[in-house]
Structure formats: structure tokens, C-alpha cells
Amino acid sequence: MNNLQLSRSNLNRFAHWGPFLSIVIYKFITLTTLYFTELWWPCFGSLGGFLNNALFLTLFVISFSCYLKSVIAGPGFLPLKWKPINLEEDEQYLQFCRICDGYKAPRVHHCHKCNRCVLKMDHHCPWLNTCVGYSNHPSFVIFIFISIIASIQSSILLLKTLLLVLAQYGHRVLIYFPLKLTLLWITAFGLAVCLILTLSLLLYIQLKYVLKNCTNIEDWIVGKAISRREQDPSLPPFIYPYNLGPINNIKTFFSKGDGIHWPVREECGEYDLTIEQLEQKLIKESWKQPMKVIKNYNGRWFPLVFGLCVCCQIPWTDETRMPLNIGDVIQVTRFRKYWMYGHKNLSNGTRLRGWFPKQCVETLSTSSKKDK
């Protein structure tokens, strides 16, 4: 893929509800805040008004630039058909991706939405319409941090506007506040407060990962590794290889390498995490339960035909929903009260994964007894 095709592919990420809605919300809050502030603290009316607007717009430009960079730069993808330099020695420690037709380097995971193996994948973000990974993770964290500061300033300015409006009743009217402006203020203030709460929680989670030099996926792997050793004390202890100490972790987070080779602790090896992944994958394979589809499912998020309980307790995740046809055989790997997660093998050699209602399937042993 040449540079022109690559740039077009990156720009196509904006043709999605996530980036579109993000830009609309961000611009709406910014312009509405500037409008209401101008009513009582005009930009060119005083030095304070000018500095306030300059700070607010500066925060907006920085955060919006980081957002655009996160979307356009993307997470960084492992080259298709990638192989380690020492293939014969290292392939036993690495997973093989059938879709990308290559081995997965350490800290690489395949994203089924991007349909590529992602370097240091943290998670797939629908608001970016791409993954957060090696290339865009620093700009993503900066975007969250600056956006929180800008949202706090916006909410304070909007709240000050409301206090001035309430204080003028019974006195000389300084700010005209009809119903339309009231609704506009409520919407902008509500969105600003929601951004502060949600982004603060997200920033807290991301900073924990930065200080440990891990990702959301790797934190999940480490948690399962610890759980395995609690259940079986005979297993050797697992040490997360990329935790180099808070200062070095921050340096590594903002440093630029190739996204494939990473420094590890002295007592750890390059493939310690991938070896643990392979062992966990073997356990997961042993947990698979084959089931037969007895009811069709069209892949909708709210399948009313299966009842209100199924619709009200959907898995709150951006993972796909898998359409089912009667007679399909599904390998189920995750179970919930009303939903299941699994995969089915397609004729072209690939796998289709996703969630589906529990009512759609039954175990093969049960179905075979009914057939008899």
C-alpha cells in the first residue's frame, strides 16, 4: 500500500459515527461556551476577557489536534506476513495470525474491527474508529488530559453565566436568557460535566497503565496469570517483563522505537509474556464447548424476539454480534446469563466471532438425543 492509499485509508476513519459525533460535541461545547461568556465577559472588553478566551481556545486547539492525530496516525500495524528474524528459534514462542498470515510480535494483538495485528494494542475505540496502540497512545492520553481541563473551564464559565442570570431577577436585566438559550445552556453544561466525569475515569485508568508500562489487554493477561498461580501454586511465578519502574515506564511510553522490540526487566526474557499467552490460550481451547444452533439470529443488538431480559442485559462491549443459522456449530468460549460468546469456522478458513443470545444454541449432546 503506497502513501497515498494509506493517507486515504486513515482519512476514511472519519466516515463513522464515532469521530463525527466526537467533533460535533466538542465544537458544540466550545462555541456555546464562547457565546455565553461573550455576554458578560467580552473578549475585547478587558484584558481578563481576552486572556480567558485565549486560554480556552488554546486548550481547544491542543486537544483537538491530539484527537485528530490519534485518528489519522492510527495505532500502528504489524506488517502483513511478519516473521521474526530467527524464525526457527522464535516461532515456538509466538502466536500465528491466520488473517494477517504472519506471526504476532510481542505486545501485538489482532483487532477484529481493524482486521489487522496492532502494535502494543490497548483497546479499540469507537470514538476514534480505530485502535489505541503504539503510534497514537501518547497523543490519546494528552487529548484526554487537555480535554478535562478545557471541560472544567467550560463548565465554570457556563455556571458563572447561570449565576449572573439568577442574580439579575428583580434588578436591571444584564443578560437576556430566553427559552431557546436556556435549552442551549442546559445541553452544553450537561455535556461538559459528562465529559469531565467520563474522561477523568478514563484518564485515571490510562495513567495506571502508563505507570506500569502495560496496556488494557496486557493487564488482563497479567490478571489471569496471577489467578492461574493462585489456583496452582506449583507454577513458577510470573513477572510482568515490561515494568521498568515508574520513571522508565513514562520514558518508554513517550519514546519512539519500532513498536516490535521492547526493553524488558533484567530477570525476564523477550518472550515471557507471549509464552504466558500461549499457555492461557491452551487453557481457553480446553474450555471450549461445541454447541448447535437451534434458532436463527440476525445479529441485532436488541433482538426483541428473544424477550426483554435478553435485550435489557446485552453485553456492554463494542465486540460484534454474530448472526446464526439453524444447524451451525459454534465453539462457545464465554458464558453469561442470557448471552454467549464464541466463534464458527467459515468455508474460506477464517473464523467469525461474536456474541449471540443463549436461547439460540444447545449442547451437541442434547441435540443428538432429541434427534434420536
Side-chain angles (χ1 to χ4, degrees), residues 241-267:
Y242 304 110
N243 190 349
L244 309 175
I247 302 300
N248 288 327
N249 288 341
I250 294 174
K251 291 180 180 179
T252 302
F253 180 75
F254 287 101
S255 65
K256 286 299 178 183
D258 58 5
I260 297 176
H261 302 93
W262 297 90
V264 297
R265 297 166 63 111
E266 292 182 359
E267 66 270 33

Side-chain angles (χ1 to χ4, degrees), residues 62-63 65-71 73-76 119-123 128 131-147 203 206-207 209-210 213-215 249-257 259 262:
I62 295 174
S63 60
S65 299
C66 289
Y67 175 82
L68 294 179
K69 182 180 179 181
S70 299
V71 177
L119 300 172
K120 197 193 170 193
M121 178 178 173
D122 184 79
H123 69 284
L128 301 179
C131 286
V132 175
Y134 161 71
S135 295
N136 62 357
H137 205 167
S139 57
F140 179 72
V141 172
I142 295 173
F143 157 72
I144 296 173
F145 176 71
I146 300 298
S147 295
L203 180 64
Q206 289 297 318
L207 289 180
Y209 294 154
V210 171
N213 193 19
C214 75
T215 64
N249 288 341
I250 294 174
K251 291 180 180 179
T252 302
F253 180 75
F254 287 101
S255 65
K256 286 299 178 183
W262 297 90

Side-chain angles (χ1 to χ4, degrees), residues 209-247:
Y209 294 154
V210 171
L211 292 176
K212 293 190 296 184
N213 193 19
C214 75
T215 64
N216 180 34
I217 295 176
E218 291 170 355
D219 192 52
W220 176 256
I221 294 171
V222 172
K224 289 194 289 185
I226 295 172
S227 177
R228 285 181 59 213
R229 282 150 181 81
E230 289 175 349
Q231 297 174 7
D232 187 359
S234 64
L235 292 173
F238 177 77
I239 301 175
Y240 180 66
Y242 304 110
N243 190 349
L244 309 175
I247 302 300

Side-chain angles (χ1 to χ4, degrees), residues 40-105:
W40 57 273
W41 203 7
C43 175
F44 297 105
S46 64
L47 178 61
F50 175 79
L51 293 177
N52 171 69
N53 277 21
L55 174 61
F56 187 67
L57 289 174
T58 300
L59 293 174
F60 169 77
V61 170
I62 295 174
S63 60
F64 193 63
S65 299
C66 289
Y67 175 82
L68 294 179
K69 182 180 179 181
S70 299
V71 177
I72 296 173
F77 299 111
L78 188 69
L80 296 172
K81 301 182 179 181
W82 182 85
K83 296 178 181 180
I85 298 175
N86 301 317
L87 178 59
E88 294 182 358
E89 297 179 12
D90 298 341
E91 65 175 336
Q92 59 182 318
Y93 306 122
L94 299 173
Q95 298 184 71
F96 187 84
C97 179
R98 291 180 293 179
I99 298 176
C100 297
D101 193 24
Y103 289 91
K104 297 180 183 178

Side-chain angles (χ1 to χ4, degrees), residues 298 300-312:
N298 56 13
R300 291 181 179 174
W301 281 56
F302 298 96
L304 293 174
V305 293
F306 295 106
L308 288 177
C309 291
V310 174
C311 294
C312 293

